[in-house]
Amino acid sequence: MSQDTTRALRDLTDLTAFGPRFHGEQGIHDAADWLVGRLETAGLDVRRQPVSLPAWRPGAENTLLVTTPIERSMPVWPMLWSGGSDGTVTGRLRPLGPQGIWGDSITWQRFVVEDDAGAVVAFVHARDVGPAAPQPLPHGSDLSVPHLVVGRLDGLQLREWSTTERDVTVVLHCDASAGVDAAVADNLVVDITGTGTGTGTGTGTGAGTVLLCAHYDTFYNTVGAYDNGSGTVALLELAERWAAAPPERSVRLVWFTAEEWHLGGSRHHVDTATAEDLAAIDHVVNVDGLGRGSMLETFASPEEFGVEVDRTVTAYARDTGRVLETVNRFPPTTGTDDASFHRAGVPTVFMTFNDLHRLHQPDDLPNEGIAENIVWAQGLVERFVGLAPPRRPGAPGIL
């Protein structure tokens, strides 16, 4: 490994040693203190921005057992904000149809579980790809009953049984519950003044700030090396580098909490910003999930900015000798922190090396492939910082 990759792997290992960084729990407080310590040691001022949300806990026991047409136990996780079962419940499972997760960013399948009297006792969600992985429930979900997620293959099996067998009976248990106290953790904000008044390597003449962000929280069941320890470390090491040698463009770096809680940290940051604060942001660069491999996805708005982002990726890959498979999506997904700024009419770009089979999994652990992509992505982020200010797209309408 190169010296830079070794350092990134060490930083990622140190961060994930705090355990799951679930919003409001001890792991994220420990991680925040670690990040603040590193940043202050580099000579940077860090502002903590507390984010308070209704507390919720997954509980210790969450199970799903199919008893007919055959007996089969399925691995499950409770969805964020799921209600509990108050013991073991039995019911008949039947399919309902598709369900949007993170708006319509991804589509899962949904099943309802009803007791002998026809009352709803639970919902089961089937992931679109990979093993069971928890996500936050969409707005309007029934929070009084359990919501358990199964993996794609188990979901296909449930659907096949539901269409060919007379009865599909399940026994489930869910310990999830709302917390008594609020769940609180901090956004961490660092401002670095640039050395010039232009836009770095871009062609524009604006002198605004580029906001760089990464969420440092995780789901309750993972230490989150890929999602999103990787982005957290990438921005930390850039901040330390810029503390000694600032970029030409002024930057604001924000490590958001509660991204997994429907973007709670970034929504709070945007909602408490003034119109002048938002107008001073030329564009946002969101680094979320630098997993293994060479498939780089970028999502940007406005549309012509996405074209410039794609050109930048292509040029940087050529200059670094990197062979990539690239995806350039428009409009941006609603499932990560740049969406909070996109809704406010601020230009955005989101970048990820998606690693979907490690998403929200206990085995999302540090490895050399993630560390290599952390190092490579830092140079791309620097080029994104230098892009000319895009036009302001305005707050999007309903479509």
Side-chain angles (χ1 to χ4, degrees):
M1 288 190 293
S2 70
Q3 183 176 357
D4 289 343
T5 300
T6 299
R7 182 184 69 248
L9 183 57
R10 181 186 65 241
D11 286 343
L12 190 62
T13 301
D14 289 347
L15 174 63
T16 56
F18 297 115
R21 302 182 299 282
F22 199 46
H23 177 76
E25 299 296 327
Q26 189 60 46
I28 196 165
H29 297 308
D30 292 340
D33 291 344
W34 178 77
L35 286 165
V36 170
R38 286 280 297 266
L39 293 163
E40 289 182 342
T41 298
L44 297 167
D45 293 326
V46 185
R47 176 165 62 91
R48 291 181 183 253
Q49 185 181 42
V51 178
S52 179
L53 296 168
W56 177 88
R57 293 181 175 85
E61 183 180 352
N62 298 282
T63 59
L64 176 68
L65 175 68
V66 179
T67 55
T68 58
I70 64 171
E71 187 168 302
R72 177 173 168 183
S73 178
M74 294 185 172
V76 295
W77 298 106
M79 298 282 276
L80 178 55
W81 297 305
S82 168
S85 62
D86 192 23
T88 299
V89 297
T90 300
R92 180 174 177 269
L93 178 143
R94 61 182 179 86
L96 286 177
Q99 174 184 34
I101 301 293
W102 290 110
D104 61 353
S105 295
I106 52 178
T107 303
W108 288 6
Q109 293 299 313
R110 186 169 55 116
F111 303 84
V112 63
V113 181
E114 299 162 314
D115 65 16
D116 291 340
V120 174
V121 296
F123 291 93
V124 175
H125 311 261
R127 192 181 175 198
D128 60 331
V129 60
Q135 291 282 13
L137 285 171
H139 179 70
S141 298
D142 182 356
L143 306 185
S144 68
V145 299
H147 289 256
L148 298 174
V149 59
V150 300
R152 176 179 180 272
L153 294 180
D154 284 335
L156 291 173
Q157 182 64 83
L158 288 174
R159 186 165 186 84
E160 193 272 334
W161 281 333
S162 299
T163 56
T164 60
E165 303 290 341
R166 184 172 181 178
D167 288 308
V168 178
T169 307
V170 299
V171 178
L172 61 91
H173 185 101
C174 180
D175 273 346
S177 64
V180 176
D181 300 320
V184 182
D186 295 333
N187 294 333
L188 307 176
V189 185
V190 170
D191 288 305
I192 299 177
T193 302
T195 59
T197 58
T199 58
T201 60
T203 58
T205 58
T209 295
V210 175
L211 188 146
L212 309 178
C213 62
H215 74 91
Y216 72 108
D217 68 309
T218 69
F219 248 92
Y220 55 80
N221 62 338
T222 179
V223 300
Y226 143 66
D227 183 26
N228 184 34
S230 57
T232 299
V233 168
L235 261 59
L236 169 64
E237 293 181 354
L238 280 172
E240 290 175 326
R241 185 187 311 165
W242 286 334
E248 183 176 352
R249 191 83 155 273
S250 292
V251 294
R252 166 169 286 184
L253 300 101
V254 189
W255 290 264
F256 284 123
T257 185
E259 188 265 1
E260 305 291 4
W261 295 49
H262 275 171
L263 316 183
S266 58
R267 285 193 293 113
H268 178 72
H269 190 79
V270 171
D271 291 345
T272 56
T274 66
E276 291 76 17
D277 292 334
L278 296 177
I281 302 171
D282 283 343
H283 60 275
V284 171
V285 179
N286 179 25
V287 185
D288 186 357
L290 304 175
R292 306 162 296 170
S294 294
M295 181 177 176
L296 178 68
E297 299 179 58
T298 56
F299 306 27
S301 177
E303 190 171 22
E304 66 272 21
F305 184 49
V307 175
E308 189 60 32
V309 164
D310 186 64
R311 290 180 182 137
T312 302
V313 169
T314 300
Y316 181 63
R318 181 188 62 240
D319 294 346
T320 57
R322 186 75 185 267
V323 177
L324 294 175
E325 179 184 356
T326 60
V327 174
N328 183 272
R329 174 173 167 172
F330 178 81
T333 176
T334 61
T336 186
D337 285 316
D338 55 282
S340 297
F341 296 90
H342 175 61
R343 293 189 185 107
V346 179
T348 61
V349 55
F350 157 58
M351 59 177 289
T352 180
F353 284 97
N354 240 330
D355 206 343
L356 292 176
H357 283 267
R358 294 285 174 89
L359 180 73
H360 301 171
Q361 298 297 313
D363 64 350
D364 182 7
L365 301 170
N367 61 64
E368 185 177 346
I370 297 175
E372 289 172 346
N373 277 340
I374 288 173
V375 173
W376 184 87
Q378 288 171 351
L380 181 58
V381 170
E382 289 181 299
R383 294 203 183 189
F384 286 159
V385 167
L387 292 176
R391 70 175 173 91
R392 309 295 283 193
I398 194 169
L399 297 179

